[in-house]
Structure formats: structure tokens, C-alpha cells
């Protein structure tokens, strides 16, 4: 899994109680396509991708989030530094996943049995940077209680919900993982890897930062196991305290209730 070059200046992780790891060094790739084309060139590249998808992948669905969705095509072009072939490859995979996973059919009712555990939900307020917030309460997640597919559907539904909340001019969301009361019974490397895969392959450039809040010592071996699987995505993680979340990411009026205990 490789991250795009030129990340948004993410902070180095702030380790609070446990020094899990230093943030990995970032590698920057330079390309003749690394600069943003003008509107005319961008339009031409969008049409080129659109034509390739229609010619080589005509069986893919059309319409919103389909092979002719020009807004989606432009987003993936930006993610792939305007490489047409790379954008086509990544779009093909994303569109097939949306079709097979039936993302458009996911509703509150279809994920209700998993959502009522309180393991994950979208906060009703933005952070101080105007980003929608996806909250995960790790101590409420027990692998095996629900089918992995059900957990994955909840994940996709909540990402879609958060993205629909994006205000004008904002492109990414904040992930907050509450690790208080985390135990080995909650550890799920497979799902954590799925989560980051989803953001890389199907929702590129949408995850701005992930906060691991109050990570206990027992989380250390889990993180050491998961981090190599996440590769460069691990640089999005910041370990911090509840106090940091309150002071740096929210106001008194918008801080999630779980951090007011």
C-alpha cells in the first residue's frame, strides 16, 4: 500500500502514555505530472479516463459513482497525480467494489444491529478544522460477535455518511479511536487493515488524520503488528490524550460526549 506524495503536513505522532513508535519517514516522489494541470488540461484528462473506462470496462455501472462520474474521475486523477492509466486502474477497482459491496444500498436499518453496539458512529459536530468526525470506541468491538462483513458494511456506511457532511472547501475527515478500556479481546488487526485499505483504494485522500486516544500499554503489541500492514498510512496516526482532543480538535460545545466523562 503506498500513500500519495506530498501529504497535507500531518503532525508527527504525539505519544502520551506509551512510546509506541516514531513516525515513519516519508518518501516523496516527483513526477512531471505532479503539478496541477489547468482546467482545460484537467478536462481533457477526465474525458480520456472516461473514454478508457467505457471502452475497456463497459460492464461497469454508469451514473453517480460510476464509470462516467466526472467528479469522481477528477478526484481519482488528482490522487494518482493525473496519470490516466493509474487513475483508470484504481477507479476500476473502486467502482467494482462499490457495485459488489452494494454501497448505495446501505441504510441506517441495514447496519442497525452492529451500530447499536456503539462501536462506531459519526459525531454530530465538526472538529475545529471543519472536518466531519468518525468516532470508534474500541472497547465496544469484539471480533466474532458480528460477521466481518457486517462490521465492514457499518464502516462503509459511516464513511459515506461523513463524506456527505463535508462542507464546501473541505475534502477529508477526522478519525478518532477511543482506546480507553481497550483489551486484547478488542484487538482486530484484520478489521483495522480493512479500514485503511478502504480509505486507500476506495476513498483516497479522504482520511486526514487518525487520533489514537489514551492508548494503554496492552495496545503496544497490537500496534506493532498492525503498523507494517498499514505501511505509509501509519503516518496519519497521532497518539494523544483526551485533554489534547478537547483542546486541539474541538470546542467546549462540540467535543464528543464520550470525552466529557
Amino acid at each position: 500500500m503506498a500513500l500519495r506524495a506530498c501529504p497535507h503536513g500531518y503532525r508527527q505522532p504525539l505519544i502520551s502514555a506509551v512510546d509506541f513508535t516514531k513516525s515513519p519517514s516519508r518518501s516523496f516522489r516527483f513526477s512531471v505530472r505532479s503539478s496541477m494541470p489547468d482546467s482545460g488540461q484537467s478536462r481533457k484528462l477526465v474525458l480520456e479516463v472516461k473514454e478508457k473506462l467505457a471502452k475497456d470496462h463497459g460492464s461497469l455501472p454508469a451514473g453517480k459513482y460510476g464509470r462516467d462520474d466526472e467528479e469522481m474521475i477528477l478526484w481519482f486523477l488528482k490522487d494518482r497525480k493525473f496519470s490516466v492509466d493509474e487513475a483508470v486502474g484504481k477507479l476500476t477497482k473502486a467502482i467494482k467494489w462499490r457495485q459488489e459491496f452494494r454501497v448505495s444500498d446501505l441504510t441506517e436499518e441495514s447496519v442497525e444491529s452492529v451500530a447499536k453496539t456503539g462501536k462506531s458512529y459519526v459525531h454530530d459536530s465538526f472538529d475545529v478544522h471543519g472536518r466531519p468526525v468518525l468516532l470508534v470506541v474500541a472497547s465496544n468491538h469484539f471480533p466474532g460477535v458480528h460477521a466481518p462483513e457486517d462490521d465492514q458494511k457499518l464502516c462503509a456506511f459511516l464513511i459515506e455518511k461523513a463524506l456527505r457532511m463535508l462542507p464546501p472547501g473541505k475534502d477529508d475527515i477526522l478519525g478518532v479511536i477511543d482506546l480507553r478500556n481497550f483489551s486484547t479481546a478488542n484487538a482486530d488487526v484484520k478489521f483495522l487493515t480493512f479500514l485503511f485499505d478502504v480509505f486507500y483504494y476506495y476513498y483516497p485522500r479522504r482520511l486526514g488524520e487518525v487520533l489514537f486516544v489514551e492508548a494503554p500499554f496492552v495496545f503496544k503489541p497490537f500496534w506493532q503488528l498492525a503498523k507494517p500492514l498499514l505501511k505509509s498510512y501509519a503516518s496519519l496516526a497521532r497518539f494523544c490524550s483526551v485533554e489534547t482532543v478537547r483542546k486541539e480538535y474541538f470546542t467546549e460545545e462540540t467535543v464528543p460526549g464520550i470525552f466529557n466523562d
Side-chain angles (χ1 to χ4, degrees):
M1 192 189 308
L3 262 186
R4 62 193 182 280
C6 303
H8 299 296
Y10 302 112
R11 298 178 177 88
Q12 296 289 334
L14 174 62
I15 311 303
S16 55
V18 181
D19 184 9
F20 291 111
T21 180
K22 294 181 179 179
S23 179
S25 59
R26 300 166 186 161
S27 59
F28 294 84
R29 295 183 304 165
F30 295 93
S31 165
V32 293
R33 290 187 181 275
S34 61
S35 59
M36 176 74 74
D38 61 34
S39 58
Q41 292 174 314
S42 296
R43 175 64 177 165
K44 181 179 179 180
L45 292 172
V46 167
L47 293 177
E48 188 176 342
V49 170
K50 189 174 177 180
E51 290 171 4
K52 279 183 173 288
L53 287 172
K55 178 182 177 181
D56 301 332
H57 304 281
S59 62
L60 292 176
K64 184 68 172 175
Y65 302 119
R67 56 181 167 79
D68 59 349
D69 185 334
E70 295 187 5
E71 182 179 353
M72 184 179 181
I73 290 173
L74 179 59
W75 187 263
F76 275 71
L77 273 169
K78 291 177 180 178
D79 173 62
R80 295 292 86 197
K81 305 180 191 68
F82 291 91
S83 167
V84 169
D85 289 339
E86 290 186 19
V88 168
K90 199 164 184 178
L91 270 164
T92 300
K93 185 170 184 175
I95 296 170
K96 284 182 178 178
W97 175 78
R98 293 187 68 91
Q99 182 182 32
E100 295 168 359
F101 210 68
R102 303 183 68 176
V103 175
S104 298
D105 295 334
L106 295 176
T107 63
E108 296 276 1
E109 292 73 23
S110 67
V111 300
E112 182 179 10
S113 63
V114 186
K116 68 182 181 181
T117 64
K119 68 174 68 180
S120 187
Y121 57 95
V122 176
H123 185 40
D124 54 9
S125 298
F126 298 146
D127 73 354
V128 294
H129 303 293
R131 298 177 296 190
V133 180
L134 179 60
L135 276 159
V136 176
V137 182
S139 61
N140 288 343
H141 175 68
F142 294 93
V145 172
H146 294 92
E149 294 77 13
D150 292 335
D151 287 327
Q152 293 170 7
K153 287 179 180 179
L154 175 63
C155 174
F157 173 77
L158 293 178
I159 293 172
E160 291 278 317
K161 181 177 180 178
L163 292 178
R164 286 195 296 270
M165 293 171 59
L166 281 171
K170 296 295 180 181
D171 296 324
D172 56 12
I173 66 178
L174 172 68
V176 181
I177 302 179
D178 181 4
L179 288 168
R180 291 172 298 175
N181 301 314
F182 174 89
S183 72
T184 54
N186 309 122
D188 193 344
V189 174
K190 184 176 180 181
F191 181 76
L192 184 62
T193 304
F194 166 81
L195 176 63
F196 280 87
D197 275 352
V198 163
F199 275 109
Y200 175 74
Y201 290 110
Y202 315 131
Y203 300 96
R205 300 166 60 111
R206 293 301 194 182
L207 185 60
E209 190 176 8
V210 181
L211 306 181
F212 288 103
V213 185
E214 302 287 359
F217 186 79
V218 71
F219 185 73
K220 181 178 180 179
F222 173 63
W223 176 246
Q224 290 176 335
L225 180 62
K227 186 180 176 183
L229 301 176
L230 305 180
K231 298 182 181 178
S232 296
Y233 252 113
S235 67
L236 297 180
R238 181 186 185 189
F239 289 86
C240 63
S241 65
V242 167
E243 190 67 14
T244 297
V245 174
R246 289 174 180 155
K247 289 185 175 181
E248 296 188 20
Y249 291 89
F250 297 95
T251 64
E252 290 185 4
E253 293 74 24
T254 63
V255 65
I258 60 171
F259 296 129
N260 276 327
D261 298 341

